[in-house]
Amino acid sequence: MTQHVELQAASGPEVLSITGGEAIARMFIAFGGGVCFGMGGFQLLPFYDASRRLGLRHFLINDERAGIFAADAYAKVSGRVGLCDATLGPGATNLVTGLMEALNAGTPMVVLAGNTHRAHSWKNMTQECRQVDLLRPVCKELIRVEMVSRIPELVRRAFTVATSGRPGPVVIDIPEDISHAVYPFPVSEFEVDPIFQSVPALRTRPDGESIAKAADLIAAAKAPVILAGGGVHISGAAETLTAFARSLNIPVAHTLSGKGAIPCADALNAGLFGRYDRIANPLIEESDLLIVVGCKLGEIATKRYTIPSPGKTLIHLDCVAEEFDRTVPAAVKLWGDAKLGLADLQQALAPRAPDLAARWADRPADISARMAAWREKVGERLNSTETPIDIARLLTEINATLPENGYPGAMGAALAKPDAPVLALTGDGGFNMMLGELETARRLKLDFTVIVINNAASGYVKALQHLMYGQGAYQSSDLSEIDYAAVANAMGCRGIRVERPEDLADALRASMERCGGPTVLDVVVTRDPSKMLPGVDSRTVQIKPGDRIA
């Protein structure tokens, strides 16, 4: 029995007598909702039925944890709001980890969670739990729908909150009776402001006095360095930052999520800073001024809060005021959008830019020389011919094979950028958690490659146990030897297994050839715990128990 009826009142506005679930689907569509991932239950059946009839692209996943991460990846790559849903109880609780990641990373998402019929709540309904209390701490805002008539208003607010300020996930908790209830909605209720379809929806710029003060500090500096975080990409400020850095010859170091804030091959790119630095940390220590853009300066970026050293002068540009002085005090706090703030800084420095660029003219060559020296230092690992394969050699081959515009990610990234090459890099332990989603990717005919770093271990943990306790002191960190290429082939996907480093390049190229479904590239890497840390990680000496591994 359909619940969808369109009516024309004799003397009033057009109305739609529809279920609450359909009202949500219509609002998702009004906001240009791209794709939605979920696993339904009775509570959300009206939403699913409306998705089918109205053409909302909705895809079944095998685990809600996968659904929310797919939505997260879609949002990160597209800039649009990620959508997913889950039914009550374990469906909703499976969202917690993905919500936490989205909240920390600033990913715009609207997440729909079905809940119990209010007339039956707290009577031990199947799968019932206090999911509102569980989800509230890991989302930007949780909206509980108590009246079916308010659905358009509350979904509108969800998209507004998700895309404004630092973006983040918003949960809409909808009781079963609200989802199934029918209400005559005026058609005008489904009109939305399109600026909230993607990020950043609203921008604000730092005040002029702070910009002027920051510009004076930069002009007086001897060796400034820019530290770029993921906020650069949320703001869409990468090109602006690159232009700013080039106009003044200021080097740029970045976090993992800030990678690409300046092109990787640019002479001013100093690479990662913090825990996984190559040349950036010494550069930061030599600097007399740090310009932090869209970066929270968390544990990894600061190498457990040891970088920068105390006393460094800092300019911090961020759209969230609460991030100022959280870990490192800032001399100037620029509260505003990264793109607008950088543009204002560049304009304020324009009269002095030629002289400053000349003063720092040798810095691009210096950065290039330092990076070349680092590559030479670690060249034995980057070009290792060892079997099993050294992880650094794998990364070298990936960099050589990928086109300049390659995207990391998986299902969400492939849906957001269907024509781009998509590679997901995971360990065998991580792949075990989500192996069932190969069926989802095959069903959706998604072309992407999952590179499985197969070391038959929870490699990071085993490597840390090796560092802390020595050879052979391993506990609960070994996995079974599994041929993941064979598993992929058995699931109707394409599996390629690589055991020798000289075969990597051809295997990577073959894995990126489109085949109408996912490819698993099973790379058998070193079983030596002393070489299991990512790439050419610098933590290669044994430490004493109790030491902090920064």
Side-chain angles (χ1 to χ4, degrees):
M1 182 179 71
T2 182
Q3 299 278 9
H4 170 72
V5 185
E6 295 195 15
L7 301 174
Q8 177 71 44
S11 58
E14 186 183 55
V15 298
L16 292 171
S17 283
I18 55 176
T19 63
E22 178 167 337
I24 291 175
R26 285 182 177 270
M27 288 299 292
F28 281 8
I29 292 169
F31 276 107
V35 295
C36 185
F37 303 89
M39 183 184 296
F42 180 74
Q43 292 73 22
L44 296 182
L45 284 185
F47 169 75
Y48 272 60
D49 183 62
S51 298
R52 172 186 62 82
R53 288 184 287 101
L54 300 176
L56 174 66
R57 295 179 69 199
H58 188 285
F59 300 121
L60 170 68
I61 41 80
N62 291 298
D63 189 311
E64 294 88 355
R65 296 174 301 161
I68 195 160
F69 277 109
D72 180 274
Y74 176 88
K76 281 186 170 77
V77 172
S78 70
R80 302 179 74 83
V81 177
L83 302 174
C84 72
D85 65 79
T87 191
L88 85 165
T93 60
N94 273 344
L95 302 174
V96 170
T97 303
L99 285 171
M100 181 180 68
E101 160 63 20
L103 182 64
N104 288 335
T107 307
M109 298 177 67
V110 173
V111 178
L112 182 62
N115 211 330
T116 57
H117 193 300
R118 290 175 301 168
H120 306 145
S121 295
W122 312 124
K123 292 183 176 181
N124 291 325
M125 288 194 71
T126 304
Q127 301 186 168
E128 183 179 21
C129 71
R130 292 189 178 273
Q131 65 188 51
V132 168
D133 298 332
L134 287 165
L135 299 179
R136 184 173 281 115
V138 289
C139 60
K140 189 175 179 184
E141 185 166 321
L142 188 142
I143 299 172
R144 166 82 169 180
V145 183
E146 297 285 0
M147 296 177 64
V148 64
S149 61
R150 295 190 64 193
I151 285 176
E153 168 206 345
L154 295 176
V155 176
R156 193 176 291 111
R157 171 157 181 83
F159 276 82
T160 301
V161 172
T163 57
S164 302
R166 177 194 288 157
V170 176
V171 174
I172 300 173
D173 186 84
I174 183 166
E176 174 189 307
D177 51 308
I178 298 291
S179 176
H180 286 259
V182 176
Y183 182 83
F185 293 94
V187 170
S188 60
E189 284 284 302
F190 298 97
E191 295 175 1
V192 303
D193 188 335
I195 69 168
F196 298 111
Q197 292 181 354
S198 57
V199 294
L202 301 172
R203 297 180 189 266
T204 183
R205 54 196 343 134
D207 68 277
E209 184 177 339
S210 297
I211 287 287
K213 190 181 296 184
D216 288 341
L217 280 177
I218 294 170
K222 295 180 180 178
V225 172
I226 295 169
L227 304 182
V232 172
H233 295 301
I234 294 172
S235 171
E239 290 184 6
T240 305
L241 185 145
T242 300
F244 176 76
R246 288 174 176 170
S247 70
L248 299 170
N249 284 321
I250 300 178
V252 179
H254 57 78
T255 62
L256 285 165
S257 59
K259 188 176 180 66
I262 187 172
C264 293
D266 196 285
L268 288 168
N269 190 321
L272 289 163
F273 69 95
R275 179 177 292 172
Y276 303 113
D277 91 297
R278 302 298 180 252
I279 66 167
N281 289 356
L283 200 69
I284 290 170
E285 290 310 297
E286 296 165 15
S287 172
D288 61 335
L289 178 67
L290 301 174
I291 307 164
V292 180
V293 182
C295 177
K296 294 180 288 187
L297 294 175
E299 181 213 353
I300 292 176
T302 61
K303 199 174 182 182
R304 190 65 75 90
Y305 314 108
T306 60
I307 296 172
S309 56
K312 289 289 183 185
T313 303
L314 201 110
I315 297 169
H316 197 167
L317 170 58
D318 203 286
C319 66
V320 180
E322 289 78 8
E323 294 304 335
F324 296 136
D325 295 350
R326 186 193 293 273
T327 60
V328 183
V332 179
K333 303 167 184 63
L334 300 178
W335 185 15
D337 176 74
K339 184 175 183 179
L340 296 183
L342 287 168
D344 288 352
L345 267 179
Q346 186 161 9
Q347 184 176 358
L349 286 164
R352 294 172 278 187
D355 291 339
L356 294 174
R359 184 198 302 173
W360 300 319
D362 62 341
R363 303 204 76 191
D366 177 51
I367 298 301
S368 296
R370 293 182 190 224
M371 196 65 80
W374 172 80
R375 289 195 180 96
E376 183 178 355
K377 177 183 176 182
V378 299
E380 185 177 347
R381 289 201 63 187
L382 293 176
N383 303 295
S384 170
T385 58
E386 289 181 15
T387 303
I389 298 166
D390 191 292
I391 299 173
R393 173 64 184 271
L394 169 61
L395 297 178
T396 298
E397 297 297 340
I398 291 173
N399 284 329
T401 305
L402 272 178
E404 290 185 2
N405 63 341
Y407 284 92
M411 292 190 294
L415 285 164
K417 295 283 186 179
D419 297 323
V422 176
L423 269 71
L425 195 63
T426 184
D428 41 4
F431 191 60
N432 289 341
M433 296 179 190
M434 290 290 132
L435 206 155
E437 296 307 327
L438 280 180
E439 183 278 329
T440 305
R442 176 191 172 191
R443 176 169 24 95
L444 301 185
K445 297 181 172 60
L446 297 180
D447 261 300
F448 63 82
T449 298
V450 179
I451 302 173
V452 180
I453 299 176
N454 187 341
N455 55 18
S458 180
Y460 195 75
V461 173
K462 190 170 184 177
L464 296 182
Q465 289 175 342
H466 181 82
L467 281 172
M468 292 195 68
Y469 306 112
Q471 181 74 31
Y474 314 123
Q475 175 62 46
S476 303
S477 55
D478 289 308
L479 297 172
S480 300
E481 291 278 356
I482 295 178
D483 185 336
Y484 291 101
V487 172
N489 288 322
M491 295 182 70
C493 304
R494 180 169 62 186
I496 302 172
R497 188 171 173 89
V498 185
E499 298 179 346
R500 301 182 303 171
E502 60 266 29
D503 297 332
L504 277 170
D506 288 342
L508 280 164
R509 282 190 287 268
S511 75
M512 293 168 62
E513 294 176 0
R514 293 186 171 267
C515 65
T519 297
V520 173
L521 186 60
D522 183 18
V523 182
V524 180
V525 301
T526 180
R527 266 58 176 163
D528 182 350
S530 70
K531 297 180 180 180
M532 281 185 178
L533 286 173
V536 286
D537 192 289
S538 58
R539 293 168 289 171
T540 56
V541 295
Q542 185 175 340
I543 64 171
K544 298 186 299 295
D547 284 352
R548 286 187 173 183
I549 305 174

